[in-house]
């Protein structure tokens, strides 16, 4: 038979669709009839990762497959064909614009689109519809970094490259949990010799590996870097030549920092003075310093200033544009940079040009458009406000899930419900935002898409397709060009392949852009404007600018000390530190911080499909300092409610000294689709930075209380029943629930107020009463099984969730044939284990036992158990366990 089967194994080099490290991936597809199966590995030739992948990248193959995908357009809940969908959309957009003007429509895009998708969306709105209303989830992510680079350097131009992290003597990670969020870069840093300083209010996997951890008061970073600037001046660590020849505005900036003596800074930042001095001294002595910063800095109502406070210290020491030195804003999404390049932010026009009359004219001539937008559009928070108050009447949301990720998310969802036309294109059928859509459009996704992305070091890489799109899914750029054509702009959108778009984008970057001359633009990839399709397909990763002066790309910017400001000099920006706008009060006495977990990506629409990625953490846990827990009568593992004036979050309490008293931490990943009251962002006030419009996400004022639970239940069912169960969950009076996808079905974890009649409920949930039932009553709970020819439903209940059985064993009963004595399934299941190493499936328990046996290093644990030997993402946690147990033993 094997001879008759047609096997074809093909290897494609592409780029990981998750974080901004931008690792190269090789995907191998086996086509066997209609079925496609892929395997992935790190691309050894890619300069970002040289063959390594983190745990999310390694699990990419497991996230593929048709199940859960949006396969056909849906208009108001009903499937329809593409012609009717596009016809409807074009008519609605045209009518809205005719009646209310171009500013009554908007696009809300994403740093997860490819550059080619992004380019045409931006061109359609800003060039042809004639409105600036294109904004992107990068507003929530990178916009303060962009605003600060522009203020200081005259352009949104990241000076550094990844090799700088290896050449540095000191890397200062500010508001970054890179061990989990940029794992491969973090591994590169660790393999090199730099000292690591971590500035973060809480202890994290990153601080675990640091030489020095400054657990500062939330939001106090601006003062810290002002204090540093003053100190550098006091100890004569300034580069006076550089300041004199290449910068402006130094003395005023130093004056403003003048009040920040070490004593005052230490007090404001909540740090011991000797720790602060250790950091200051280290910084002043380390010529090769990289500041590596992310959301702990950006997601702040004064994020732009904080970014500038960091950049000031680099300019003052001349540590920019040199190997191993620079202010390195690290991007989150795989193509946040590409979005910035095309002008995806509402205040940018295109190709790094903003809305000056000269630029509007220039881009208008290039696009041959007479209907250019003539002013910036609305930034994300304002854009959703305009949807709420009816100014915007039609919005198209692409590749982002704002009903989960925007501040005051509940209100955003309600605004979308009210909006006359909401179009959502997504690869996945059921998301919180998709539930608000009038029209749902099925998009292709990673593996199917073809185009380019730019990573954190300005490196443009190809994402190449290796799978056939399922159902009727279409590429985002095609859908956008279709709409443009139907709206009458076909001529300007007659692309037949992503390379056509890329060439135009490259040509625009070089259009009237005179390299090196005053007024020229940093973003210039004009050397790529004539790529043939073959050359595009073979394009090797390259760092912009790529132009006639730098045909092979550019590793590092500003080596010549010339900047993109009018004077050619970098600008110091005086910074007056401000504390968070969301204050702690008697009623809301705690600060809620939020961020990422190691194994999940954002709202889990993709990583949530890989079962093993849920082993590390399968539910929203709220981290609480034991002192706070005691004060608010919360026990470890208990369900709690966190409330702000805007909304409520539920989760399981995890008591930990990693959090300081007065501060909580919750993961951002869960949504209403996956759990009950699980959106952190629903609690956030929509307050933003005045320059960038980026929301303050990291300090939300909240209160905490425990939730009484009568009993817990694990409920396992097949996929067919999922819809009925979701319906029941939306109406049932439960304390909490969350859902875990498993092979062939779902597991629901329920926290109950009372014991239901499981058999009656089960029959309702399965929609049938012809099944066999088995029941087992135990001291701590009951167990139920419903089966026909296979297991259809399993329910295990208990007074404490810790006594519920091992979930993996439970799940396996869906995959296995029914045993001869089905009642067996209700017995002999041990309680569950928490996985630390997802790749090699090594649990916390196993590691602890090995440590207790005397295995005493991360390496020897790896040799014995295998943990940490594949992607290495769990090494910081293993080190943490070693340290914790050593402390307990001492
Ligand atoms: N595993 C995983 N990796 C990801 C993502 C993911 O979803 N999952 N998403 C990607 C994206 S889009 C982004 S933007 C990046 C984000 O990458 P990071 O910014 O590294 O991630 P976060 O967890 O949001 O926050 C980083 C840290 O900021 C700290 N912080 C909070 N308040 C303050 C403060 O006032 N000062 C300082 N100095 N620190 C503070 C938090 O405690 C947290 O540890 O991650 C990318 N990588
Ligand atoms: N409280 C709090 N809130 C936050 C943050 C925080 O730290 N704290 N971080 C913020 C940050 S930095 C970010 S980046 C955002 C992220 O938040 P979002 O962008 O809202 O989250 P994602 O889950 O990445 O949404 C991407 C969507 O696009 C879909 N998709 C994937 N590929 C494609 C494709 O090729 N085409 C189309 N059309 N769709 C596709 C996915 O299925 C998913 O539904 O969250 C922000 N919100
Ligand atoms: S570090 Fe991990 S998530 Fe980020 S690009 Fe590399 S493999 Fe993907
Ligand atoms: Mo982000």
């Amino acid at each position: 038979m094997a001879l008759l089967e047609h096997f074809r194994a093909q290897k494609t080099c592409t780029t990981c669709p998750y974080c901004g490290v931008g690792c190269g991936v090789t995907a191998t597809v086996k086509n066997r009839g209609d079925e496609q199966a892929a395997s992935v590995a790190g691309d050894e030739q890619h300069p970002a990762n040289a063959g390594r992948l983190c745990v999310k990248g390694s699990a990419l193959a497991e996230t593929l497959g048709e199940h859960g995908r949006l396969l056909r357009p849906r208009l108001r809940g009903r499937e329809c064909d593409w012609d009717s969908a596009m016809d409807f959309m074009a008519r609605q957009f045209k009518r809205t614009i005719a009646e209310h003007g171009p500013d009554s429509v908007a696009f809300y895009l994403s740093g997860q689109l490819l550059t080619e998708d992004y380019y045409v969306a931006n061109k359609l709105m800003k060039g042809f519809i004639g409105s600036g209303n294109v904004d992107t989830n990068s507003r929530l992510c990178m916009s303060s970094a962009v605003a600060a680079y522009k203020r200081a350097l005259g352009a949104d131009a990241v000076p550094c490259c990844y090799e700088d992290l290896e050449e540095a003597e000191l890397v200062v990670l500010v508001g970054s949990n890179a061990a989990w969020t940029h794992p491969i870069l973090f591994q590169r840093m660790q393999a090199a010799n730099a000292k690591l300083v971590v500035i973060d209010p809480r202890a994290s996997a990153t601080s675990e590996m640091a030489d020095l951890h400054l657990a500062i008061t939330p939001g106090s970073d601006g003062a810290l870097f002002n204090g540093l600037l003053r100190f550098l001046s006091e100890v004569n660590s300034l580069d006076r030549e550089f300041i004199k020849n290449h910068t402006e505005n130094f003395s005023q900036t130093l004056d403003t920092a003048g009040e920040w003596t070490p004593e005052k800074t230490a007090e404001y930042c909540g740090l011991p003075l000797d720790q602060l001095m250790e950091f200051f001294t280290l910084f002043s002595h380390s010529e090769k310093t990289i500041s590596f910063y992310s959301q702990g800095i950006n997601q702040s109502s004064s994020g732009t200033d904080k970014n500038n406070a960091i950049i000031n210290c680099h300019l003052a020491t001349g540590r920019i544009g040199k190997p191993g030195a620079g202010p390195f804003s690290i991007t989150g999404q795989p193509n946040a940079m590409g979005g910035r390049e095309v002008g995806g932010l509402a205040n940018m026009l295109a190709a790094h040009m903003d809305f000056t009359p000269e630029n509007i004219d220039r881009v208008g001539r290039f696009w041959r458009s007479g209907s250019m937008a003539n002013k910036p559009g609305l930034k994300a928070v304002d854009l959703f406000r305009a949807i709420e108050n009816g100014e915007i009447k039609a919005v198209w949301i692409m590749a982002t899930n704002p009903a989960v990720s925007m501040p005051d998310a509940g209100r955003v969802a309600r605004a979308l419900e009210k909006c006359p036309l909401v179009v959502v294109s997504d690869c996945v059928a059921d998301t919180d935002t998709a539930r608000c859509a009038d029209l749902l459009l099925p998009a292709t996704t990673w593996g199917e898409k073809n185009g380019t992305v730019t990573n954190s070091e300005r490196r443009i890489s190809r994402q190449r397709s290796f799978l056939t799109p399922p159902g009727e899914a279409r590429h985002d750029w095609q859908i956008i060009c279709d709409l443009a054509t139907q709206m009458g702009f076909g001529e300007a959108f007659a692309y037949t392949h992503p390379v056509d778009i890329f060439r135009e984008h490259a040509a625009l970057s070089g259009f009237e852009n005179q390299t090196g001359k005053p007024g020229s633009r940093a973003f210039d990839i004009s050397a790529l404007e004539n790529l043939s399709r073959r050359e595009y397909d073979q394009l090797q990763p390259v760092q912009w600018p790529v132009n006639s002066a730098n045909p092979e790309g550019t590793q590092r910017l500003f080596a010549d000390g010339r900047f993109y400001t009018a004077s050619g000099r970098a600008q110091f920006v005086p910074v007056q530190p401000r504390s968070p706008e969301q204050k702690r009060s008697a009623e809301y006495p705690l600060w809620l911080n939020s961020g990422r977990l190691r194994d999940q990506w954002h709202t889990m629409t993709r990583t949530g499909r890989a079962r093993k990625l849920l082993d590390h953490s399968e539910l929203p846990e709220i981290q609480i300092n034991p002192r706070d827990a005691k004060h608010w009568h919360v026990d470890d593992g208990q369900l709690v409610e966190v409330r702000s004036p805007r909304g409520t979050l539920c989760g399981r309490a995890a008591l930990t000294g990693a959090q300081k008293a007065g501060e909580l931490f919750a993961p951002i990943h869960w949504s209403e689709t996956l759990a009950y009251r699980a959106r952190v962002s629903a609690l956030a006030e929509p307050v933003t930075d005045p320059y960038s419009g980026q929301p303050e996400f990291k300090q939300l004022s909240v209160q905490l209380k425990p939730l009484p639970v009568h009993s817990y239940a694990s409920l396992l069912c097949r996929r067919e029943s999922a819809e009925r169960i979701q319906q029941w969950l939306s109406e049932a009076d439960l304390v909490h629930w969350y859902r875990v996808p498993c092979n062939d079905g779902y597991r629901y974890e329920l926290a109950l107020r009372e014991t239901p009649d499981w058999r009656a409920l089960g029959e309702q949930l399965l929609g049938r009463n012809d099944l066999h039932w088995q029941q087992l009553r135990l001291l701590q709970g009951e167990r139920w099984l419903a089966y026909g020819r296979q297991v259809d439903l399993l329910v295990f209940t208990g007074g404490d969730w810790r006594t519920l059985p091992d979930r993996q064993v439970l799940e396996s009963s869906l995959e296995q044939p029914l045993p001869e004595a089905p009642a067996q399934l209700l017995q002999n299941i041990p309680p569950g284990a928490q996985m630390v190493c997802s790749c090699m499936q090594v649990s916390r328990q196993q590691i602890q036992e090995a440590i207790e046996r005397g295995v005493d290093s991360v390496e020897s644990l790896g040799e014995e158990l295998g943990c940490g030997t594949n992607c290495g993402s769990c090494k910081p946690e293993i080190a943490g366990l070693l340290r914790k147990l050593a402390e307990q033993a001492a």
Side-chain angles (χ1 to χ4, degrees), residues 137 140-142 295 299 331-333 596 602:
N137 64 358
L140 317 177
C141 178
M142 303 315 308
Q295 300 315 333
Q299 288 172 342
T331 50
Q333 298 181 89
R596 286 140 178 90
H602 295 172

Side-chain angles (χ1 to χ4, degrees), residues 259-306:
E259 62 176 293
W260 293 94
T261 60
E263 292 73 18
K264 180 173 167 174
T265 308
E267 200 201 315
Y268 186 89
C269 298
L271 296 171
L273 184 62
D274 57 342
Q275 226 184 37
L276 182 85
M277 294 311 284
E278 189 183 344
F279 166 54
F280 282 4
T281 311
L282 201 56
F283 194 103
S284 77
H285 288 166
S286 310
E287 205 41 54
K288 292 182 165 184
T289 298
I290 291 278
S291 299
F292 180 107
Y293 46 96
S294 187
Q295 300 315 333
I297 287 290
N298 290 345
Q299 288 172 342
S300 152
S301 54
S302 56
T304 307
D305 277 351
K306 286 176 184 166

